[in-house]
Each structure stands twice: as C-alpha cells, then as structure tokens.
Amino acid sequence: MDLQHLEWPFLSPGHRSLAADYLAWTTPHLAGLAGDEGGDGRAARQIYEMLAGAGWLTRTLPASTDRASPKLDLRSLCILRELSAYSSAIADVALSEPWLGILPIALFGSPALRELYLPRYLSGNLLPAFALSEPGAGSDAASITTSARRDGNGYVLNGRKTWTSNCGLADLYVVFARLEETGGIAAFAVDGNDPAIRLEERIDVMPPHTVGTWTLDGCRVSRDRLIGEAGQGYKIAMAVLELFRPTVGAAALGFARRAMDEAVERSVGRTAFGKPISEHQLVQAKLAQMAVGVDASGLLVYRAAWEHDEGRRLTPRSAAVAKLFSTETSFQIVDQALQIFGGMGVVKGTTVERLFRHVRAFRIFDGTSEIQHLIIARDVLKGRA
Ligand SMILES: Cc1cc2nc3c(=O)[nH]c(=O)nc-3n(C[C@H](O)[C@H](O)[C@H](O)COP(=O)(O)OP(=O)(O)OC[C@H]3O[C@@H](n4cnc5c(N)ncnc54)[C@H](O)[C@@H]3O)c2cc1C
C-alpha cells in the first residue's frame, strides 16, 4: 500500500512511523484474512486479542490519565482503521467495535470504572459493546425506551436493544437507558454475564459484524455502574459517536484505496480490443475519479482528526463531512472498481465483491448519510433559519 498521503503536513513524524510499523505488522498478521469471517464473532475476537497482544490498543485510548483532559490521538485511530480496513474488513471490525464500546468509560467513566475496565480492554480480556440502538429508535436515538428505575442504591434496567455489535459475546455492555425518575438518559456499564441479559436473535448482515437483538429483563446495577452523571447519557453517546465518525471515514478510505489498487492491477493485466483496458480512456476516467475521491476523502478525514488533536474542538460539522463524504465516495469507488473487473467483479469471494458488501453498511451506522446531511445543514444554517 502506498503511504504517500501520510506525508501531509497535518500528520507528524510519529504518525508516519506508526503507519509504517502497523503496515509491517498487518502484512503477516492480517493480510491473509478474507474479511468475511464475521459469523459467530470468534474471528473478530481473536484478532482483537492479537491487536491487544501486539500493543496496538494502547494507541486507541487517551495517553493521559487526567480525567479533566483525556487526550485521545484521533489521527492514530484513523491510521489504524484505514490500514486495517485496507487489509481486511474483519480486522477493522475487531479494532473499531471494542473501541466504540470502551470509549464512554475511557472518556466519561469514574476512576473506579476506568481502573476496572481499561487494563482488561488493553490486554485483550474485555470485549466491550456499545448499546444505544433499539427496535424503535435508530436514527432518532433520543427516543430510546429501555428504562432505568431507581431501586435502593442502584437501578433496574428493562428493555430491548438491537444492532449491538458483539452482541452475545461482549463482556461489557455500555447500555443507554431512560431514567424513569426524570425522563433523561443515563449510560450504564453492564456485565456481559449478567443473568438478566438474554440474546434474542443474531442478525445476519452483509458486513462481518456480529450483531443482534437482546433484552434486559430486570437487570440490577449499582449506582457506581453509572458512566458520568445520571441524565448525561445522551450527551455521552453523541460525543462518542462524533469522535467515531472521522475514523469510520478512515476505514471507508482504506476500502477505497484497496479497491483502487485492485482496479489498477486488473486494468493493466486485462486485455480487450487488442490492448490493456487501462489504455481505454473510459477506464482511465474511472481510475482518475477514484484517485480524486481517495485524495479528497483522506484530506477531509485527517482534517477532522487534526482539528480534534490540535486542541481545537472537533466540530459536529467536520466530523459529519468526513464521515459522509468518505463513506459515500468509498461506495462509488468500490462500485467503479467492480465495474473494471467486469463479470469477475460479481464473483462471490473476490476482493472487489467482498469490498462491495463490506462498504455498504458504512453509509448507515454511526448516523446514516441522511443524518450527516442534517447535521451539516444545521451548521450551515446556524443563526439564519
Ligand atoms: C452493521 C451494523 C452495526 C451496528 N452496530 C451498532 C452498535 O454497535 N451499537 C448501536 O447502538 N447501534 C449499532 N448499529 C445501528 C445503527 O446505528 C443504526 O442502524 C442507524 O443509526 C440507523 O438506524 P435504523 O437502522 O433504525 O434506521 P432508521 O432510523 O429507521 O432510518 C431509516 C431510514 O430513514 C432515514 N431517516 C431517519 N430519520 C430521518 C430524517 N430525520 N431525515 C431524513 N431521513 C431520515 C434514515 O437515514 C434511513 O435511510 C449498527 C448498524 C449496523 C447496520
């Protein structure tokens, strides 16, 4: 993989050496994975353990333990996700979904919760999951109905969650629930082995995610399982998803780069009408459009991450722009790559066919493309409408 884009001025020498080291590690460890090994989630768990064993997960948490200003290096996360996705979709799932699950605790958890969970996450012994979506509340996450009733020194949780990645496998669920007392939302750290949790069904999806629907039936949690203050849960969920967005864009960028590399190789090697198809101008136009899309996505993704890291706040707008543009563009690039492969592009199990299935969900999770449009338009119209 060409790492030239990492020469951009908003990436430091440290980022460049992270990319080179990680790429060298992914080649023997991840490159052989097809990326389809989703299923029961065991493959993703093994990769997560490998990532932990090799120490890569330390780059996914704030370096400082100072809770007042946890400093997460989002550019490192984008690099790890881009290069993982380039290798294999399942590697990206194995890296990103546990990270999404641990972030609420890393950024908003009490010192006790952080001491309990962060070392286990870093050593690959804790698979965390992020449980916000419900059958009746996806894009409109503020309308969740899972309830939290005060009971002595704790709460009792009841409800149904769906689309939870690592559902049925997670050791820890970060559950967002509505407080019966106030109507606000709170985030709770719920033990994956809690007997009040029941897996209802696995959902068989196109990308290698292990997702499903599950219930909490009278799940008792003590007050010290609250993440942040009661009533802060929605803010926590939105802050975490916003941080996640540039990294989703980075993973989509990894898919796009891989699709482009595959298409270039194919176009040079495949002959039609007496010459390599790369010499036909309509094929060249596709390759050129891919190159433009890859560059533009990279600039927007790493701009958003740079804004975050350099102390200026990551704005909802730049996070949404990075996610929206990169995921939509990646889908187009993968589609064009598949077209360049002709019939071979739709043969099940080929790299471009897999990329086509894997990239599609990126336009849906972490806020659909429509929701990203709303976030951007709200900012464009701020103070005007
Ligand atoms: C593979 C995968 C993994 C996931 N992992 C997780 C996870 O780990 N944890 C978790 O909590 N959730 C997870 N999700 C859920 C994901 O976040 C939701 O699917 C997403 O937020 C969309 O919600 P929905 O599916 O209910 O669609 P809906 O909200 O029902 O939306 C349906 C359609 O209506 C559109 N729409 C809705 N509102 C508007 C509006 N105001 N204006 C215009 N259009 C609108 C949407 O854009 C979409 O096109 C995952 C989903 C997938 C597919």
Side-chain angles (χ1 to χ4, degrees):
M1 182 193 182
D2 179 4
L3 291 181
Q4 258 184 17
H5 65 294
L6 298 177
E7 295 301 322
W8 286 335
F10 38 73
L11 292 167
S12 69
H15 293 118
R16 286 189 265 283
S17 65
L18 168 69
D21 293 348
Y22 189 59
L23 191 61
W25 184 83
T26 59
T27 307
H29 291 93
L30 305 180
L33 298 164
D36 270 350
E37 299 88 341
D40 60 10
R42 263 184 288 180
R45 180 155 202 147
Q46 275 171 11
I47 300 167
Y48 156 69
E49 287 167 2
M50 266 163 48
L51 289 164
W56 297 115
L57 297 186
T58 54
R59 307 298 294 251
T60 69
L61 290 184
S64 150
T65 48
D66 173 9
R67 199 163 154 243
S69 59
K71 188 83 182 78
L72 186 73
D73 189 68
L74 209 51
R75 284 171 293 180
S76 294
L77 256 307
C78 288
I79 289 168
L80 294 177
R81 285 202 70 179
E82 183 188 343
L83 300 188
S84 299
Y86 184 91
S87 277
S88 132
I90 186 117
D92 176 57
V93 171
L95 172 72
S96 61
E97 294 302 343
W99 181 57
L100 177 63
I102 201 70
L103 262 189
I105 290 175
L107 299 181
F108 300 98
S110 65
L113 282 178
R114 294 172 47 188
E115 265 164 45
L116 182 62
Y117 289 121
L118 300 194
R120 285 177 61 197
Y121 161 78
L122 289 173
S123 61
N125 291 311
L126 179 91
L127 195 62
F130 182 91
L132 177 64
S133 304
E134 297 181 358
S139 301
D140 183 12
S143 68
I144 57 168
T145 58
T146 292
S147 63
R149 177 169 46 81
R150 272 308 287 268
D151 182 47
N153 191 31
Y155 294 85
V156 179
L157 310 182
N158 283 290
R160 258 174 109 210
K161 292 286 177 187
T162 192
W163 297 118
T164 313
S165 295
N166 289 322
C167 180
L169 303 165
D171 304 303
L172 165 74
Y173 291 91
V174 170
V175 174
F176 296 88
R178 186 168 303 285
L179 297 158
E180 281 190 1
E181 257 180 332
T182 62
I185 290 176
F188 297 93
V190 176
D191 194 334
N193 291 324
D194 195 298
I197 287 179
R198 189 174 59 81
L199 176 66
E200 209 173 281
E201 57 155 356
R202 283 257 162 81
I203 309 172
D204 196 9
V205 288
M206 286 159 73
H209 281 77
T210 303
V211 289
T213 305
W214 56 289
T215 55
L216 294 126
D217 186 11
C219 177
R220 281 174 192 283
V221 286
S222 55
R223 207 174 183 285
D224 56 13
R225 312 296 293 180
L226 256 178
I227 302 169
E229 302 293 321
Q232 269 194 336
Y234 188 69
K235 223 172 106 192
I236 291 172
M238 293 304 116
V240 165
L241 291 174
E242 192 170 296
L243 269 180
F244 202 58
R245 256 164 223 156
T247 77
V248 173
L253 174 63
F255 287 155
R257 279 190 198 288
R258 179 63 182 269
M260 184 172 161
D261 286 356
E262 297 285 330
V264 168
E265 282 304 306
R266 175 73 179 175
S267 67
V268 171
R270 174 74 177 166
T271 301
F273 299 96
K275 55 185 180 183
I277 59 170
S278 61
E279 290 181 24
H280 294 293
Q281 288 186 343
L282 285 176
V283 173
Q284 289 181 357
K286 284 189 176 54
L287 296 177
Q289 281 164 11
M290 287 180 191
V292 173
V294 158
D295 268 5
S297 298
L299 285 164
L300 292 172
V301 162
Y302 286 102
R303 177 190 73 167
W306 175 85
E307 274 185 14
H308 169 269
D309 297 344
E310 291 303 312
R312 305 206 218 152
R313 218 168 65 80
L314 169 66
T315 63
R317 178 171 170 173
S318 61
V321 165
K323 198 258 175 186
L324 174 67
F325 188 87
S326 186
T327 56
E328 292 288 332
T329 303
S330 180
F331 182 72
Q332 289 162 16
I333 290 174
V334 169
D335 186 47
Q336 286 178 330
L338 189 150
Q339 193 71 13
I340 286 176
F341 271 75
M344 287 305 292
V346 291
V347 173
K348 280 193 176 163
T350 56
T351 301
V352 285
E353 182 272 338
R354 284 199 172 103
L355 285 167
F356 190 75
R357 277 185 285 121
H358 295 161
V359 72
R360 185 61 184 88
F362 278 62
R363 295 164 62 201
I364 294 170
F365 52 58
D366 195 10
T368 63
S369 292
E370 289 76 13
I371 296 302
Q372 305 312 315
H373 278 105
L374 295 182
I375 293 169
I376 296 163
R378 202 177 299 140
D379 190 76
V380 169
L381 294 170
K382 205 165 44 189
R384 307 286 297 264

